[in-house]
Amino acid sequence: MKCDPNLYRATPPSLAVKPRLIRQLFVPPLIVLLMIGLGYVGYRVSEHYGIRTLSENGERQLELHARTVESEISKYTYLPSLLELESSVSALLKEPDAEHRQTVNDYLEGLNRRSRSRAIYVLDTTGRVLATSNWRDADSYLGEDLSFRAYFQDAVRGLPGRFYGIGSTSGEPGYYLAHGLEEHGKIIGVAVIKVRLEALEERWQRARLEAFVSDENGIIILSSDPARRLKSVRPLTPEIKERLARSLQYYWWPLNELQPLARERLAEGVETLTFPANTELAKDGDSVSYLAQTRRLSDTPWHFTLLTPLQDLRREAANQGILVAVAFALVAFLLIAWNERRKVIATRLAAREALQEANSQLERRIAERTADLRASNERLKDQIRERRQAEETLRHAQDELVQAGKLAAIGQMSTSIAHELNQPLAALRTLSGNTVRFLERGELDTASTNLRTINDLIDRMGRITASLRAFARRGDDKGESSLGKAIDAALQVLGSRVETLHLEVHRDFDDVQLAIDQTRLEQILVNLIGNALDAMQSQPLPELWLEGDFVEGKYRLRVRDNGHGIEPAARKHLFEPFFTTKPGEQGLGLGLTLSASLAAAASGHLGVEHPGSGGTAFVLTLPRVPPAKAEPI
Ligand code: ADP
């Protein structure tokens, strides 16, 4: 057997969440996300433009300060070459005796004082210091072998010796400028001047300027922040470290990289650097960001870097970002509020429209119903009119039928009436002839007896015609009648047949007043008793029972005979007009129909029973006249 998969399919989980709920669930986080996103974008844009403005301003600053550094350095450039002109120096180089040395020492001491340099000294071509401005000091260079110094090596070859380094004797950093002293195109010695550039640093610090100068090795030689001094701005491989250590340029100073926390290159010579904060107030994890602008210093392989703090700019950008986020939140809030209001208005409008629609529908329906009702009212009126007409026609036809029935009954009875009247007439002729003869003979007693008999006969004849006339007369629907009188009248009308049959009549009824016209009641009874007489034609001992009883304000009379009864096939047709089983001209088939109509017209009923003992019983039920109204019998 195949199963319908649909029968066992689980009902889908409650995925059908209302769209409104989805909106409520997702819109707030979405707005928050957009706020954060837009705030971040605002921050970045503001930062970008801020940095652009800052770098434009910084460009001028960079130029200014770089020129200052350049002029500070170039100030001493030509000083060593001046010694070439000094005869005592060339004399010393030619003849390095004590006298010449002292002369040059004194000269150099004076020159050094005037030029505010750190030291000025003269070396022979082997790199040994022959005379120096600091000859008086304990750590004087006098006699030292400085041939390993790069500036000496360059100068002795006729190249300009430029060198920043830490003094191997004093351990003091300085800028060394060396010049090969020539005579007749031949280098006979080297003049060196050592200057301190710390004045620049002090100037930067006073001006609250953050800057540094890095040398050809990328080592910071001058810095407004002492912590950055002698740090490398470039990555230091072990080989480079080894080379620099061997050159003793930085003496034994440990060289490290200047490791920014973050570095972002913006353009050639422009980048952002983030360093850990090193102020006293700074907490762990605090950092300082700078816009670093770098420019090469002319006549040297050095670079000057200007650092502009980004703290204020970042704060400003953060404010801008917050402003954007708040503005967006405000716009979003206004949009949501506007949308909600729009929805409320739309709902109200829809409700109003629905109400109007329902109203107009109701009105339409009422109009339709009213029209329907009016139409059905008209139809009802028409029907009532038609019914009334039909009733009228029916009543008329009924009257006609009653009349026709009566006439038919008269026709039927005419033979017996004629027989009934002929007999007394014949008797009257005989009696009247006899009476004449008795009078002629003077037999007055016999004559008067005959005359009395004649009288009786005439009375009988009068009664017959009277009842016939009463039967033929049109009746009244709202009449009253006496049951006893009606039964007597009916039996009288049928008197001859009753007598012929030797009918035994059992009377067991009350003489009640019934609400039916007397003539009509008699007519019904004549019909019923007449039919009973017909049915009992071949009955040797014909009997008729007239039994009455009271039923719910009405009176019921049962007219029962012991005749031949009614065939079952004929029973259902009894009250149909013109249904008859009587042969020839004997039956019209109107008697029961008329009788039932007359009973019904008087709010009564005529029914039939078929007793098991044989015969037929017709049951006539008629309303009674209330006893107060009943006329005394
Ligand atoms: P009609 O007497 O002219 O035939 P009715 O309407 O009076 O018309 O009677 C219809 C028929 O009902 C009769 O022909 C007869 O067959 C039957 N009928 C009426 N009354 C009796 C009765 N008491 N016993 C047997 N049959 C009857």
Side-chain angles (χ1 to χ4, degrees):
M1 193 178 78
K2 272 190 175 182
C3 292
D4 180 1
N6 290 326
L7 279 178
Y8 302 99
R9 191 170 291 159
T11 44
S14 54
L15 281 176
V17 186
K18 289 178 180 172
R20 193 177 171 77
L21 190 64
I22 291 175
R23 277 209 302 277
Q24 280 173 351
L25 277 178
F26 288 101
V27 166
L30 191 72
I31 289 175
V32 171
L33 277 177
L34 279 171
M35 265 177 74
I36 294 169
L38 285 172
Y40 180 70
V41 169
Y43 169 78
R44 292 297 291 187
V45 168
S46 168
E47 187 193 35
H48 174 78
Y49 285 105
I51 286 176
R52 210 157 75 171
T53 315
L54 211 61
S55 66
E56 278 166 15
N57 292 337
E59 202 68 39
R60 287 191 291 277
Q61 291 277 317
L62 180 73
E63 195 58 34
L64 190 76
H65 292 289
R67 289 255 171 93
T68 314
V69 175
E70 278 168 359
S71 73
E72 188 68 29
I73 294 168
S74 61
K75 213 162 63 176
Y76 300 98
T77 309
Y78 300 104
L79 199 61
S81 59
L82 284 179
L83 295 185
E84 225 170 32
L85 305 172
E86 183 54 46
S87 56
S88 59
V89 173
S90 52
L92 175 68
L93 289 169
K94 276 185 215 143
E95 239 179 283
D97 55 13
E99 191 184 335
H100 283 125
R101 176 175 292 128
Q102 194 52 49
T103 311
V104 176
N105 277 345
D106 291 339
Y107 170 71
L108 292 179
E109 190 179 24
L111 186 65
N112 185 52
R113 196 171 47 248
R114 287 193 299 277
S115 66
R116 295 173 191 272
S117 55
R118 193 70 190 146
I120 305 174
Y121 46 98
V122 176
L123 294 92
D124 62 15
T125 48
T126 61
R128 187 167 305 280
V129 178
L130 294 181
T132 174
S133 62
N134 60 0
W135 61 277
R136 287 179 204 274
D137 298 349
D139 53 354
S140 158
Y141 305 154
L142 213 57
E144 255 186 63
D145 181 5
L146 299 176
S147 59
F148 64 94
R149 287 292 199 181
Y151 58 83
F152 168 75
Q153 287 166 7
D154 286 343
V156 87
R157 289 206 303 273
L159 300 171
R162 300 273 183 278
F163 179 81
Y164 182 89
I166 295 171
S168 52
T169 314
S170 60
E172 200 178 65
Y175 181 38
Y176 297 83
L177 296 110
H179 180 77
L181 300 171
E182 282 182 33
E183 197 177 63
H184 311 300
K186 188 174 167 247
I187 293 178
I188 55 166
V190 171
V192 182
I193 178 166
K194 179 183 179 184
V195 291
R196 296 292 306 267
L197 297 173
E198 281 76 9
L200 280 170
E201 292 181 332
E202 285 160 18
R203 217 178 296 161
W204 292 341
Q205 281 164 359
R206 273 200 305 277
R208 295 192 179 282
L209 193 79
E210 297 231 34
F212 61 78
V213 172
S214 54
D215 68 4
E216 65 278 6
N217 296 316
I219 303 294
I220 295 173
I221 51 174
L222 295 171
S223 171
S224 57
D225 181 358
R228 284 184 208 126
R229 208 172 291 144
L230 291 174
K231 294 257 169 68
S232 171
V233 293
R234 292 204 290 262
L236 283 174
T237 60
E239 293 79 51
I240 296 173
K241 270 191 174 179
E242 170 84 21
R243 182 172 59 78
L244 293 178
R246 212 173 297 137
S247 76
L248 280 179
Q249 186 173 353
Y250 309 102
Y251 203 42
W252 296 111
W253 200 271
L255 297 172
N256 290 314
E257 284 173 36
L258 179 72
Q259 283 172 322
L261 294 174
R263 172 176 231 146
E264 191 185 349
R265 192 174 177 279
L266 303 176
E268 184 60 42
V270 184
E271 59 186 348
T272 57
L273 296 172
T274 305
F275 298 113
N278 61 353
T279 57
E280 283 168 12
L281 292 172
K283 286 177 265 160
D284 260 5
D286 277 3
S287 61
V288 194
S289 293
Y290 296 97
L291 176 71
Q293 289 167 288
T294 305
R295 172 188 177 287
R296 194 190 164 118
L297 295 171
S298 57
D299 292 336
T300 67
W302 298 355
H303 287 86
F304 175 73
T305 301
L306 181 69
L307 296 172
T308 315
L310 291 174
Q311 208 174 343
D312 292 346
L313 182 137
R314 289 251 161 92
R315 199 176 298 129
E316 181 63 22
N319 285 343
Q320 297 278 356
I322 290 168
L323 203 69
V324 168
V326 168
F328 169 75
L330 201 71
V331 169
F333 174 76
L334 286 175
L335 276 175
I336 288 169
W338 173 79
N339 192 36
E340 287 301 318
R341 184 163 166 66
R342 191 182 57 79
K343 274 195 271 182
V344 167
I345 291 172
T347 314
R348 270 193 213 149
L349 275 178
R352 195 179 300 163
E353 271 174 24
L355 200 68
Q356 277 174 354
E357 177 60 28
N359 245 349
S360 52
Q361 256 187 19
L362 200 67
E363 277 170 15
R364 252 200 318 277
R365 268 192 210 155
I366 287 171
E368 281 170 11
R369 289 277 156 84
T370 313
D372 282 355
L373 277 175
R374 200 168 288 136
S376 61
N377 198 22
E378 284 304 315
R379 273 200 304 279
L380 269 176
K381 276 183 184 169
D382 287 349
Q383 279 178 3
I384 288 168
R385 244 192 322 275
E386 280 169 18
R387 292 271 156 83
R388 280 201 184 133
Q389 270 178 5
E391 230 171 70
E392 197 58 42
T393 316
L394 201 67
R395 195 174 292 121
H396 188 67
Q398 201 178 25
D399 286 349
E400 292 300 318
L401 273 174
V402 169
Q403 199 54 26
K406 283 179 189 170
L407 294 174
I410 290 165
Q412 261 183 317
M413 286 184 292
S414 56
T415 320
S416 51
I417 291 163
H419 173 71
E420 222 27 61
L421 292 177
N422 276 341
Q423 273 183 330
L425 276 173
L428 277 175
R429 196 182 302 117
T430 316
L431 280 172
S432 60
N434 288 348
T435 309
V436 171
R437 271 194 297 279
F438 286 135
L439 283 172
E440 284 169 356
R441 276 189 254 152
E443 293 176 23
L444 290 178
D445 289 342
T446 313
S448 79
T449 307
N450 274 2
L451 282 173
R452 264 196 298 278
T453 307
I454 287 170
N455 257 353
D456 287 349
L457 282 171
I458 290 169
D459 280 352
R460 182 179 160 79
M461 286 169 72
R463 273 203 306 279
I464 288 169
T465 50
S467 62
L468 204 60
R469 200 170 55 244
F471 183 74
R473 203 174 60 221
R474 282 179 190 275
D476 182 8
D477 273 347
K478 294 183 182 63
E480 280 183 27
S481 56
S482 150
L483 181 62
K485 276 185 188 171
I487 288 176
D488 286 344
L491 286 173
Q492 198 161 17
V493 169
L494 299 166
S496 60
R497 293 177 65 198
V498 171
E499 275 175 25
T500 317
L501 269 182
H502 302 293
L503 177 70
E504 187 180 348
V505 180
H506 304 277
R507 290 164 167 266
D508 184 17
F509 57 86
D510 305 277
D511 191 9
V512 288
Q513 285 294 108
L514 299 175
I516 186 168
D517 180 75
Q518 186 74 39
T519 319
R520 289 189 173 191
L521 182 57
E522 285 172 15
Q523 198 173 343
I524 294 169
L525 291 171
V526 167
N527 278 336
L528 297 181
I529 296 168
N531 280 343
L533 292 174
D534 288 342
M536 291 184 291
Q537 280 298 326
S538 13
Q539 173 58 258
L541 292 170
E543 280 181 273
L544 183 73
W545 288 268
L546 298 169
E547 305 155 326
D549 60 347
F550 295 93
V551 184
E552 295 169 1
K554 292 188 175 175
Y555 196 77
R556 184 167 61 187
L557 179 74
R558 185 177 276 105
V559 180
R560 181 161 66 88
D561 60 59
N562 60 349
H564 54 59
I566 303 168
E567 288 292 314
R571 285 175 187 173
K572 60 182 176 200
H573 303 294
L574 289 181
F575 295 97
E576 291 173 11
F578 302 107
F579 171 78
T580 181
T581 57
K582 292 172 190 169
E585 294 296 315
Q586 282 181 30
L588 273 177
L590 284 173
L592 287 178
T593 315
L594 286 175
S595 302
S597 304
L598 290 174
S603 307
H605 180 258
L606 178 65
V608 64
E609 290 174 0
H610 307 283
S613 53
T616 309
F618 281 90
V619 184
L620 176 66
T621 311
L622 285 168
R624 289 173 58 208
V625 176
K629 264 188 83 181
E631 286 172 9
I633 303 163

